[in-house]
Amino acid sequence: MLVDFNTLPETSKVIIYPSSRKLYKDELPVFHEKISHFLNDTKHLKVCFKIEYDRFILFFISDKTPLSLEQNDELVVFVQSLEMEFKIILLDKVNVCFKQGEFVQMKEIADFKKLIKNKSVSKKTVVFDNLINTKEEYENYWETPAEESWVSHFFKK
């Protein structure tokens, strides 16, 4: 059941799917409709979603109604169907997503290391931690300077 984000406790689980490209404006209403329809069919879950920066799909699931293994599998199958329909990659979470000015970029780790070497990104570059686990972590740590993130060790010589 879809619920309002503000009604979910801070301990709610978050699952983030970064897109390999920015979602087009004409795709966004379709994404919203498909995701809403899918989540409305989840009877025993209190869940909501957000699409951030036209690039990330985030699912927030109340810890009072945890995701079962079967529901998790259904979610993954649903996300795979979005990948196929829109010709994007959503399930690859090991790439580095970061801000460059007003734009969000996604690079493979090797390419991100090259950007560091070329000084195209710095320790102050905002990166996204798509492996966070809770709503509270989302609100406080999802967007963080590279020096405070999981990529900080790439800056050490």
mmCIF file of all heavy atoms in Angstrom, residues 18 20 89 92-97 106-109 128 130 150:
data_model
loop_
_atom_site.group_PDB
_atom_site.id
_atom_site.type_symbol
_atom_site.label_atom_id
_atom_site.label_comp_id
_atom_site.label_asym_id
_atom_site.label_seq_id
_atom_site.Cartn_x
_atom_site.Cartn_y
_atom_site.Cartn_z
ATOM 1 N N PRO A 18 19.949 3.296 -9.037
ATOM 2 C CA PRO A 18 20.453 4.390 -9.873
ATOM 3 C C PRO A 18 20.318 4.025 -11.356
ATOM 4 O O PRO A 18 20.633 2.915 -11.765
ATOM 5 C CB PRO A 18 21.918 4.487 -9.469
ATOM 6 C CG PRO A 18 22.274 3.108 -9.002
ATOM 7 C CD PRO A 18 21.025 2.512 -8.431
ATOM 8 N N SER A 20 21.242 4.293 -15.334
ATOM 9 C CA SER A 20 22.443 4.489 -16.143
ATOM 10 C C SER A 20 22.377 5.775 -16.970
ATOM 11 O O SER A 20 23.389 6.214 -17.516
ATOM 12 C CB SER A 20 22.654 3.291 -17.069
ATOM 13 O OG SER A 20 21.495 3.064 -17.857
ATOM 14 N N ILE A 89 19.875 0.728 -17.236
ATOM 15 C CA ILE A 89 20.380 -0.194 -16.218
ATOM 16 C C ILE A 89 20.048 0.415 -14.858
ATOM 17 O O ILE A 89 20.375 1.580 -14.596
ATOM 18 C CB ILE A 89 21.897 -0.411 -16.365
ATOM 19 C CG1 ILE A 89 22.205 -1.034 -17.728
ATOM 20 C CG2 ILE A 89 22.420 -1.280 -15.230
ATOM 21 C CD1 ILE A 89 23.673 -1.049 -18.092
ATOM 22 N N ASP A 92 22.713 -2.050 -11.273
ATOM 23 C CA ASP A 92 24.161 -1.963 -11.055
ATOM 24 C C ASP A 92 24.439 -0.853 -10.053
ATOM 25 O O ASP A 92 24.408 0.330 -10.390
ATOM 26 C CB ASP A 92 24.877 -1.692 -12.373
ATOM 27 C CG ASP A 92 26.386 -1.733 -12.239
ATOM 28 O OD1 ASP A 92 26.888 -1.847 -11.106
ATOM 29 O OD2 ASP A 92 27.065 -1.650 -13.275
ATOM 30 N N LYS A 93 24.724 -1.230 -8.816
ATOM 31 C CA LYS A 93 24.917 -0.248 -7.753
ATOM 32 C C LYS A 93 26.381 0.035 -7.448
ATOM 33 O O LYS A 93 26.688 0.788 -6.542
ATOM 34 C CB LYS A 93 24.216 -0.718 -6.479
ATOM 35 C CG LYS A 93 22.722 -0.790 -6.624
ATOM 36 C CD LYS A 93 22.097 -1.139 -5.309
ATOM 37 C CE LYS A 93 20.603 -1.232 -5.439
ATOM 38 N NZ LYS A 93 19.946 -1.284 -4.147
ATOM 39 N N VAL A 94 27.302 -0.566 -8.177
ATOM 40 C CA VAL A 94 28.711 -0.360 -7.851
ATOM 41 C C VAL A 94 29.370 0.751 -8.656
ATOM 42 O O VAL A 94 30.536 1.049 -8.448
ATOM 43 C CB VAL A 94 29.538 -1.663 -7.969
ATOM 44 C CG1 VAL A 94 29.107 -2.662 -6.930
ATOM 45 C CG2 VAL A 94 29.459 -2.225 -9.358
ATOM 46 N N ASN A 95 28.640 1.363 -9.547
ATOM 47 C CA ASN A 95 29.174 2.537 -10.226
ATOM 48 C C ASN A 95 29.128 3.720 -9.276
ATOM 49 O O ASN A 95 28.396 3.718 -8.283
ATOM 50 C CB ASN A 95 28.362 2.842 -11.488
ATOM 51 C CG ASN A 95 28.593 1.819 -12.573
ATOM 52 O OD1 ASN A 95 29.700 1.329 -12.749
ATOM 53 N ND2 ASN A 95 27.553 1.476 -13.304
ATOM 54 N N VAL A 96 29.907 4.738 -9.577
ATOM 55 C CA VAL A 96 29.940 5.930 -8.745
ATOM 56 C C VAL A 96 28.999 6.970 -9.349
ATOM 57 O O VAL A 96 29.145 7.341 -10.511
ATOM 58 C CB VAL A 96 31.363 6.509 -8.640
ATOM 59 C CG1 VAL A 96 31.381 7.726 -7.723
ATOM 60 C CG2 VAL A 96 32.347 5.448 -8.169
ATOM 61 N N CYS A 97 28.038 7.406 -8.550
ATOM 62 C CA CYS A 97 27.133 8.485 -8.949
ATOM 63 C C CYS A 97 27.553 9.725 -8.183
ATOM 64 O O CYS A 97 27.751 9.675 -6.965
ATOM 65 C CB CYS A 97 25.692 8.127 -8.615
ATOM 66 S SG CYS A 97 25.083 6.656 -9.460
ATOM 67 N N MET A 106 27.240 9.291 -13.718
ATOM 68 C CA MET A 106 27.510 7.928 -13.262
ATOM 69 C C MET A 106 28.722 7.428 -14.036
ATOM 70 O O MET A 106 28.765 7.513 -15.263
ATOM 71 C CB MET A 106 26.322 7.007 -13.520
ATOM 72 C CG MET A 106 26.582 5.550 -13.111
ATOM 73 S SD MET A 106 25.269 4.430 -13.594
ATOM 74 C CE MET A 106 24.129 4.682 -12.260
ATOM 75 N N LYS A 107 29.702 6.937 -13.295
ATOM 76 C CA LYS A 107 30.921 6.420 -13.918
ATOM 77 C C LYS A 107 31.296 5.091 -13.287
ATOM 78 O O LYS A 107 31.044 4.864 -12.108
ATOM 79 C CB LYS A 107 32.107 7.390 -13.715
ATOM 80 C CG LYS A 107 31.928 8.751 -14.329
ATOM 81 C CD LYS A 107 32.029 8.703 -15.823
ATOM 82 C CE LYS A 107 31.925 10.099 -16.422
ATOM 83 N NZ LYS A 107 31.769 10.073 -17.849
ATOM 84 N N GLU A 108 31.924 4.242 -14.075
ATOM 85 C CA GLU A 108 32.510 3.037 -13.512
ATOM 86 C C GLU A 108 33.660 3.463 -12.605
ATOM 87 O O GLU A 108 34.241 4.539 -12.781
ATOM 88 C CB GLU A 108 33.005 2.111 -14.621
ATOM 89 C CG GLU A 108 31.875 1.518 -15.432
ATOM 90 C CD GLU A 108 32.357 0.541 -16.487
ATOM 91 O OE1 GLU A 108 33.575 0.225 -16.542
ATOM 92 O OE2 GLU A 108 31.509 0.090 -17.274
ATOM 93 N N ILE A 109 33.994 2.638 -11.649
ATOM 94 C CA ILE A 109 35.018 2.989 -10.665
ATOM 95 C C ILE A 109 36.341 3.364 -11.343
ATOM 96 O O ILE A 109 36.970 4.355 -10.969
ATOM 97 C CB ILE A 109 35.207 1.852 -9.642
ATOM 98 C CG1 ILE A 109 33.960 1.771 -8.753
ATOM 99 C CG2 ILE A 109 36.456 2.056 -8.799
ATOM 100 C CD1 ILE A 109 33.920 0.604 -7.800
ATOM 101 N N PHE A 128 26.839 9.991 -4.228
ATOM 102 C CA PHE A 128 25.630 9.351 -3.705
ATOM 103 C C PHE A 128 26.001 7.972 -3.180
ATOM 104 O O PHE A 128 26.640 7.199 -3.893
ATOM 105 C CB PHE A 128 24.579 9.223 -4.806
ATOM 106 C CG PHE A 128 24.103 10.555 -5.315
ATOM 107 C CD1 PHE A 128 24.752 11.187 -6.358
ATOM 108 C CD2 PHE A 128 22.998 11.167 -4.738
ATOM 109 C CE1 PHE A 128 24.314 12.413 -6.832
ATOM 110 C CE2 PHE A 128 22.559 12.402 -5.201
ATOM 111 C CZ PHE A 128 23.218 13.029 -6.251
ATOM 112 N N ASN A 130 24.490 4.790 -2.648
ATOM 113 C CA ASN A 130 23.300 4.024 -3.000
ATOM 114 C C ASN A 130 23.185 2.714 -2.221
ATOM 115 O O ASN A 130 22.290 1.916 -2.484
ATOM 116 C CB ASN A 130 23.262 3.769 -4.504
ATOM 117 C CG ASN A 130 23.127 5.071 -5.256
ATOM 118 O OD1 ASN A 130 22.406 5.960 -4.845
ATOM 119 N ND2 ASN A 130 23.856 5.194 -6.345
ATOM 120 N N TRP A 150 32.091 6.279 0.674
ATOM 121 C CA TRP A 150 32.713 4.990 0.383
ATOM 122 C C TRP A 150 33.836 5.108 -0.654
ATOM 123 O O TRP A 150 34.631 4.193 -0.794
ATOM 124 C CB TRP A 150 31.650 3.985 -0.068
ATOM 125 C CG TRP A 150 31.000 4.291 -1.391
ATOM 126 C CD1 TRP A 150 29.966 5.142 -1.627
ATOM 127 C CD2 TRP A 150 31.347 3.738 -2.662
ATOM 128 N NE1 TRP A 150 29.649 5.170 -2.965
ATOM 129 C CE2 TRP A 150 30.480 4.301 -3.620
ATOM 130 C CE3 TRP A 150 32.307 2.818 -3.078
ATOM 131 C CZ2 TRP A 150 30.556 3.972 -4.971
ATOM 132 C CZ3 TRP A 150 32.368 2.492 -4.434
ATOM 133 C CH2 TRP A 150 31.487 3.074 -5.358
#
